[in-house]
Amino acid sequence: PTRRSSDLVQLVNACCVQLVSLSNRSRYKEAFYLGISLLEKLGVSYPEDKLMDVIDSEIEKYYLYERNGSIEKLEQKELISSKKENAIAKLLNRITSTSVFFNPLASFWTVLVSTNLMVEKGVTNWALENSATMALALVPLKNDFYTGYRLTKKTISIVEQKGFKAEAYRMYHAYSILNCHWFEPLETAIYYAHKAYKGNLESGEFEFSCFSFFTSMAGILECCSSISEMQVEVEAALSFANKTGNLFSLGSFVSFRQLVKTLKGETIRYVSFNDKTFNEETHLKDINCNEIALCYYYIYRALSDVIFSDFIGAYILTKKAASYLSYVPPSYYIIALYRFLTSISICKSIEQMKNIEEKQIMQKVLEENQEWMYQRAKDAPFNFQHLYDIVCAEMKAMNGEYEGALRLYE
């Protein structure tokens, strides 16, 4: 039995290399089940038939550790010496990356199990890194944005103190794309995304380097003083995705490029991404199996419609985006953009809708989005207050309260 366990531990490194290779080729399902099969042989079973029940239990266990001070004392815990426990932590870490884009619930499970095992058995570099993705589970299931943010800040500090550079760079990516923007200025998220890109490039983690552009492009679009700044970032993202063969990311990055072209007047018409070398219908066929790319396309296409005042078109596009939102982690910044675009397009188009039931649905969505945005603005007014206020102003205008609307705009 001892020899058998030792043999399995030795397989973990090779398995993780294969998981990264499969992920780079967008073969997430295959990668996930390859990792799970080895994890189960190491004694950690994946509860596929009762996944949600187990996740709920793991969440309650984690909150218990928060309340009893175990999380606060993480830096006092010793590093695990057991090769088997280190192997399990590494495997859970790598499986998280594959499951995010294949089965989000599975990623919730891997993050929670990894973090709780760290509290119970001791610290590993892999579990510390994995804990930076706690927002994946707590945001959608508990509407808890702060706990994952706080945990990530803490574990990044521990990793930096212990000198785990490679893990720190991957954590900077997780921090920038999942946590930072909910409590800190977008400029901070951009800073960590750029840091993650460079560090992961040095470490040979090309997939993580590529993913960092999701954060930097979304942030720079909001913060740049000129469209040329955005264009430079988009060109770098497209070049890197092409060089590394990351077709998964490339499908989304193209939407940023076409948005820049639209803003520069280089498309056939303003409310279109079409140009001499790009066709929207062809692109949608090309990314048909990439749900995140489809979601990014519809959201940024809706943004272009809002910019050029085609609000009915924008509303239709946000409805199409809604079909793919479940594939995008709810802790990504793009979720805030989606809610804003949906709300502003409703305000500007609801009176033109003849169907009473459709109007009622739109009004309910608008109210829910504003409540959500109000909460985000309380935590990070520098990122979200203006989005909340713009929609408030349009809601007043929608109801004939023009003076109140003007005051909000001023």
Side-chain angles (χ1 to χ4, degrees):
T2 304
R3 176 65 183 275
R4 174 64 175 159
S5 176
S6 176
D7 290 344
L8 289 172
V9 167
Q10 291 178 20
L11 282 175
V12 168
N13 286 338
C15 180
C16 287
V17 170
Q18 185 66 8
L19 294 187
V20 172
S21 175
L22 289 168
S23 293
N24 277 329
R25 289 171 282 159
S26 302
R27 292 164 63 179
Y28 296 110
K29 182 177 181 180
E30 188 177 342
F32 174 76
Y33 281 109
L34 174 63
I36 286 296
S37 65
L38 182 54
L39 187 66
E40 291 185 340
K41 291 173 184 175
L42 286 166
V44 180
S45 297
Y46 173 57
E48 192 158 18
D49 295 334
K50 50 180 180 177
L51 184 56
M52 198 62 242
D53 289 340
V54 173
I55 288 172
D56 286 339
S57 176
E58 292 290 338
I59 287 175
E60 291 310 310
K61 186 189 295 186
Y62 176 78
Y63 279 136
L64 174 61
Y65 292 148
E66 278 271 347
R67 292 192 297 271
N68 68 21
S70 297
I71 302 300
E72 188 61 34
K73 298 174 184 176
L74 270 179
E75 68 268 19
Q76 300 173 17
K77 297 184 75 68
E78 296 292 327
L79 290 173
I80 288 180
S81 58
S82 164
K83 291 183 178 179
K84 180 180 177 181
E85 296 302 328
N86 268 286
I88 289 171
K90 182 174 183 177
L91 204 48
L92 282 167
N93 177 300
R94 289 303 188 180
I95 293 172
T96 298
S97 299
T98 68
S99 56
V100 167
F101 304 118
F102 158 62
N103 181 355
L105 277 179
S107 71
F108 303 170
W109 176 78
T110 57
V111 171
L112 287 159
V113 168
S114 173
T115 304
N116 288 337
L117 283 175
M118 176 170 63
V119 174
E120 295 159 7
K121 298 192 174 184
V123 170
T124 69
N125 54 331
W126 300 104
L128 284 167
E129 180 196 332
N130 217 12
S131 70
T133 59
M134 183 61 78
L136 285 172
L138 298 187
V139 169
L141 298 182
K142 295 296 182 179
N143 196 35
D144 181 352
F145 289 77
Y146 185 65
T147 299
Y149 166 77
R150 183 177 59 201
L151 175 64
T152 303
K153 293 274 284 186
K154 182 170 192 62
T155 51
I156 282 178
S157 174
I158 295 171
V159 163
E160 289 174 337
Q161 289 171 15
K162 293 184 179 297
F164 296 143
K165 287 188 177 181
E167 290 78 7
Y169 292 137
R170 292 193 293 270
M171 291 175 81
Y172 295 156
H173 163 65
Y175 181 58
S176 67
I177 200 167
L178 297 175
N179 299 284
C180 189
H181 43 274
W182 303 123
F183 297 96
E184 298 182 45
L186 280 172
E187 289 86 351
T188 305
I190 296 168
Y191 167 79
Y192 276 101
H194 284 161
K195 202 170 181 179
Y197 168 75
K198 293 176 183 177
N200 284 307
L201 187 59
E202 291 173 3
S203 301
E205 293 281 4
F206 302 133
E207 186 179 36
F208 282 94
S209 284
C210 199
F211 287 165
S212 69
F213 284 107
F214 279 99
T215 301
S216 60
M217 286 191 292
I220 289 171
L221 181 62
E222 300 287 343
C223 302
C224 64
S225 56
S226 71
I227 197 63
S228 61
E229 293 177 40
M230 182 63 184
Q231 185 172 3
V232 168
E233 194 73 8
V234 169
E235 288 174 354
L238 290 168
S239 174
F240 191 81
N242 273 308
K243 284 179 182 177
T244 56
N246 196 317
L247 300 180
F248 174 81
S249 298
L250 191 62
S252 298
F253 293 175
V254 166
S255 293
F256 287 99
R257 181 193 68 196
Q258 294 309 118
L259 177 62
V260 168
K261 286 188 173 185
T262 302
L263 295 174
K264 293 180 69 180
E266 295 176 358
T267 50
I268 292 172
R269 54 194 178 92
Y270 288 124
V271 287
S272 172
F273 275 180
N274 289 331
D275 60 29
K276 293 179 180 179
T277 61
F278 180 85
N279 180 273
E280 291 183 87
E281 289 186 9
T282 301
H283 177 62
L284 289 173
K285 289 177 183 176
D286 290 343
I287 62 171
N288 185 50
C289 296
N290 186 339
E291 290 84 1
I292 288 185
L294 286 164
C295 194
Y296 269 72
Y297 164 78
Y298 286 121
I299 290 174
Y300 282 101
R301 182 65 178 74
L303 175 58
S304 73
D305 274 13
V306 165
I307 290 171
F308 294 108
S309 301
D310 182 2
F311 296 103
I312 292 179
Y315 178 63
I316 292 170
L317 287 162
T318 57
K319 286 185 72 175
K320 289 181 178 180
S323 301
Y324 302 101
L325 278 180
S326 62
Y327 294 94
V328 179
S331 43
Y332 278 22
Y333 175 79
I334 196 174
I335 299 302
L337 177 61
Y338 161 78
R339 286 182 180 265
F340 169 73
L341 293 173
T342 302
S343 295
I344 200 72
S345 61
I346 286 175
C347 289
K348 291 289 194 177
S349 62
I350 192 169
E351 291 306 317
Q352 299 175 55
M353 298 294 176
K354 295 180 181 180
N355 187 304
I356 294 176
E357 186 177 348
E358 177 75 6
K359 281 188 174 183
Q360 291 173 339
I361 292 171
M362 293 169 80
Q363 186 65 40
K364 183 179 179 182
V365 169
L366 179 58
E367 291 169 0
E368 289 175 352
N369 281 347
Q370 277 299 85
E371 174 57 29
W372 184 92
M373 196 68 76
Y374 173 76
Q375 296 300 327
R376 305 291 74 75
K378 280 173 58 178
D379 293 331
F382 32 76
N383 294 337
F384 305 109
Q385 189 66 53
H386 64 293
L387 301 180
Y388 176 77
D389 288 344
I390 288 170
V391 175
C392 278
E394 290 299 332
M395 289 175 72
K396 286 185 178 296
M398 190 173 67
N399 295 322
E401 301 174 38
Y402 301 115
E403 288 188 8
L406 283 171
R407 281 196 296 271
L408 281 170
Y409 269 114
E410 290 172 353

